[in-house]
Amino acid sequence: MDYTPEVLRNKGVPVKLAKIRKAEDDWTPIYSSDGELETEELHVRFTHNVIADIEETWDGLADWQEAMESKPVSTLRRTLSLIFMEPVDKIGGMLIEGRLPEYSNAIGTAWALANGVDPTVASRMLEAAEIQVDSQIETLNQELLTALGDAEEKKEKPSTPGKKRSPSGAKQTKDTKTSGKQAPPKS
């Protein structure tokens, strides 16, 4: 993605979204003949109209920011709906799985730009965030592969009981003298 200061200043923060079509009940992604998800690049930008819509939707900017923390995905989806002027369910269909951190970074950076952050600083911030997200995904993938390997190894080595079975009945413990032993006959 092009995170140059000029793009950020003039267009906004680029995000990749899925191309979708309306199905019976929901929006479904469009795939190419190769099976690849078709995407489009849109730009997240907070205009005064979008900011005013956010104030109206969440009863103020403080409530919007609180909602971003307490309900991050639904708030992100609704915020993008306001920015792109599309229905909430359509935006939800356009969100690509596994890219929530990128969308959150785009909203945060666009908000910073709307509040006067220098696009050069924002550009560096986005590039660093992209590296961090890629690193987190790579770490998660490695941990999952390790866990899968461990699970496969345990499957290959089933636990087997010992060759000699224990005698049935009560067992004597080290703390008692009569546990598991038959009592002597009474005279």
Side-chain angles (χ1 to χ4, degrees):
M1 299 247 198
D2 187 357
Y3 296 135
T4 59
E6 294 76 27
V7 168
L8 297 179
R9 181 183 306 108
N10 297 318
K11 291 183 176 182
V13 181
V15 292
K16 195 175 284 192
L17 297 166
K19 288 185 179 181
I20 57 174
R21 70 172 152 262
K22 183 73 170 165
E24 289 180 28
D25 297 348
D26 205 2
W27 295 93
T28 59
I30 299 172
Y31 292 91
S32 69
S33 58
D34 302 344
E36 293 292 317
L37 180 66
E38 291 187 16
T39 62
E40 62 183 315
E41 186 176 283
L42 298 175
H43 292 82
V44 177
R45 183 183 183 107
F46 286 98
T47 64
H48 289 101
N49 286 333
V50 171
I51 295 169
D53 289 342
I54 287 171
E55 287 177 333
E56 292 298 318
T57 302
W58 281 277
D59 293 326
L61 295 176
D63 286 350
W64 171 67
Q65 290 173 333
E66 184 179 311
M68 285 295 285
E69 291 179 23
S70 63
K71 295 181 178 181
V73 178
S74 61
T75 306
L76 178 141
R77 185 179 68 145
R78 180 169 282 166
T79 300
L80 292 177
S81 171
L82 294 171
I83 291 170
F84 299 134
M85 294 184 280
E86 293 286 357
V88 173
D89 62 329
K90 183 176 182 180
I91 292 296
M94 294 171 75
L95 296 175
I96 299 171
E97 297 296 326
R99 293 191 178 239
L100 286 174
E102 293 173 36
Y103 299 134
S104 294
N105 288 339
I107 287 176
T109 303
W111 184 249
L113 289 166
N115 283 286
V117 168
D118 181 352
T120 304
V121 173
S123 174
R124 285 190 229 138
M125 184 174 69
L126 272 172
E127 288 170 354
E130 188 174 42
I131 291 168
Q132 184 178 13
V133 167
D134 289 344
S135 174
Q136 287 173 342
I137 290 170
E138 181 62 30
T139 300
L140 284 172
N141 283 330
Q142 289 302 319
E143 288 177 10
L144 286 172
L145 286 173
T146 301
L148 283 172
D150 292 348
E152 290 295 322
E153 192 174 302
K154 286 180 182 177
K155 266 175 132 176
E156 291 172 7
K157 296 180 182 177
S159 61
T160 57
K163 293 179 182 175
K164 196 174 182 184
R165 295 194 67 169
S166 299
S168 60
K171 312 289 184 272
Q172 184 174 355
T173 65
K174 66 179 181 179
D175 296 338
T176 61
K177 294 180 180 176
T178 59
S179 177
K181 291 185 178 180
Q182 206 170 24
K186 292 184 179 182
S187 16

